[in-house]
Amino acid sequence: MSAALKKQKKAQENINSRLSLVMRSGKYTLGTSAVLKTLRSGKAKLIIISANTPPQKKSEIEYYAMLAKTGVHHYTGTNNDLGTACGKMFGVSVMSITDPGDSDIIKNMPGAATEAQ
C-alpha cells in the first residue's frame, strides 16, 4: 500500500468513528428532504454527502448549505458505506448533524471550521 492510500484509509476510519459517536450521543437527520428542512430552519451544523449522490441533489444541498453558512463534507465512500458508518442497514446519501453530542466531528471537518468558532 502506498502512503497516500494508507493516509486516506486512516482518515476514513477517523470519520467513521466520529460518526458512530454522533449516532450514539448526538442528533442527526438522514435523507435529502429532512436535510433540506434542517438547512432551511438553520439547525444544521454539518452536512455529509456521499460520493454517489446524484449531481442535481448534491448541488441543491450545497447551495442551501452555502446560504445557511453550514459546512459540507464530501464523504469518500458510497451511500451504502455512509449508511454502514451510521450503523444503518440501508444506504444514506445525505445526512445532517444538528447536535454533535460528545463527538468533535464539527471542529475537525474541513470546511466546518467557521461554524465551530
Side-chain angles (χ1 to χ4, degrees):
M1 262 189 195
S2 67
L5 191 59
K6 281 184 181 178
K7 189 174 181 181
Q8 184 181 13
K9 190 171 183 178
K10 184 170 173 119
Q12 186 74 22
E13 290 172 4
N14 197 5
I15 292 166
N16 289 349
S17 65
R18 288 192 176 119
L19 265 178
S20 67
L21 191 56
V22 167
M23 298 313 238
R24 280 180 279 155
S25 65
K27 293 184 179 165
Y28 58 91
T29 57
L30 304 175
T32 307
S33 58
V35 166
L36 288 174
K37 270 186 195 171
T38 59
L39 279 170
R40 283 194 295 261
S41 66
K43 294 177 184 173
K45 303 268 192 295
L46 177 68
I47 307 296
I48 300 176
I49 303 175
S50 69
N52 64 340
T53 303
Q56 182 72 31
K57 287 185 182 187
K58 190 183 284 190
S59 64
E60 182 182 8
I61 290 167
E62 286 171 345
Y63 177 71
Y64 274 98
M66 183 215 34
L67 291 176
K69 296 184 175 102
T70 303
V72 176
H73 176 72
H74 295 279
Y75 191 78
T76 54
T78 65
N79 59 350
N80 289 327
D81 296 336
L82 183 56
T84 303
C86 293
K88 304 296 179 189
M89 299 298 283
F90 49 84
V92 175
S93 60
V94 181
M95 72 176 290
S96 70
I97 298 171
T98 54
D99 177 27
D102 298 332
S103 178
D104 60 346
I105 192 167
I106 292 176
K107 293 176 189 148
N108 293 334
M109 285 293 168
T114 57
E115 191 66 31
Q117 294 176 352

